[in-house]
Amino acid sequence: MRDDIYFRLLLELAPENLKPNHLDAERIFINFGETIESRIAFGKLLQRIYETKPDSDIGLCYGKLLRPHALCELSRAVMTAATFNDSLNTFGGLQHMQGLAYYLSTYQTKTKISLALVFPHEKKVTPEKRRFSTESGFSYLVNFVRETIDPSLNPEHIYLSYDEPHYSK
């Protein structure tokens, strides 16, 4: 699936000195997902960001840019679901098409929904990738619920599988 919007959004947030030059960025956009260089460009840029600033909140900032109605085909398919439960099931059924490192696992009762990101397809997930995926996924889901169901959503708890970042204190 060719959805270079995600790399374009990351470039908006990346420090200028870490961004690829204009010609390299254009080559990545044109070939997004089709060449080795374009497939690993996102991860390499994230790696450089965290190497430069280990306490970066890039995941949260990136997640805030993810507006469900303006993203890829998967995100738009999720938006067409009749209920929130259906949207989660749609996401779960189609997320493999995005080549995501994580899998969204859900558990629901009548009054609560628990969401978890698991990484079943990789033997070792770097702490930076785990943190970025968790923070951006969390922000995306909060935006999704606020835009489609309840603008006043305020999650009760978040449990992290990594050390709490300094900016969350």
Side-chain angles (χ1 to χ4, degrees), residues 29-72:
F29 295 145
I30 291 168
N31 298 309
F32 199 79
E34 295 179 4
T35 65
I36 291 174
E37 176 192 26
S38 71
R39 284 194 295 265
I40 62 174
F42 194 98
K44 281 188 171 186
L45 181 54
L46 273 179
Q47 183 179 4
R48 289 195 313 265
I49 290 169
Y50 283 120
E51 284 172 354
T52 304
K53 188 176 178 190
D55 60 346
S56 174
D57 65 347
I58 189 84
L60 288 176
C61 295
Y62 181 78
K64 289 176 184 176
L65 293 179
L66 301 178
R67 308 319 293 184
H69 63 278
L71 295 173
C72 66

Side-chain angles (χ1 to χ4, degrees), residues 55-121:
D55 60 346
S56 174
D57 65 347
I58 189 84
L60 288 176
C61 295
Y62 181 78
K64 289 176 184 176
L65 293 179
L66 301 178
R67 308 319 293 184
H69 63 278
L71 295 173
C72 66
E73 290 89 352
L74 171 62
S75 196
R76 288 190 294 272
V78 168
M79 293 285 296
T80 65
T83 66
F84 184 67
N85 186 40
D86 288 347
S87 66
L88 290 175
N89 291 336
T90 299
F91 186 82
L94 298 176
Q95 67 183 349
H96 68 279
M97 294 169 51
Q98 282 297 101
L100 300 174
Y102 61 84
Y103 180 80
L104 178 66
S105 177
T106 63
Y107 175 77
Q108 297 181 51
T109 66
K110 288 187 178 200
T111 58
K112 296 187 187 252
I113 298 173
S114 294
L115 305 169
L117 292 182
V118 293
F119 297 81
H121 307 296

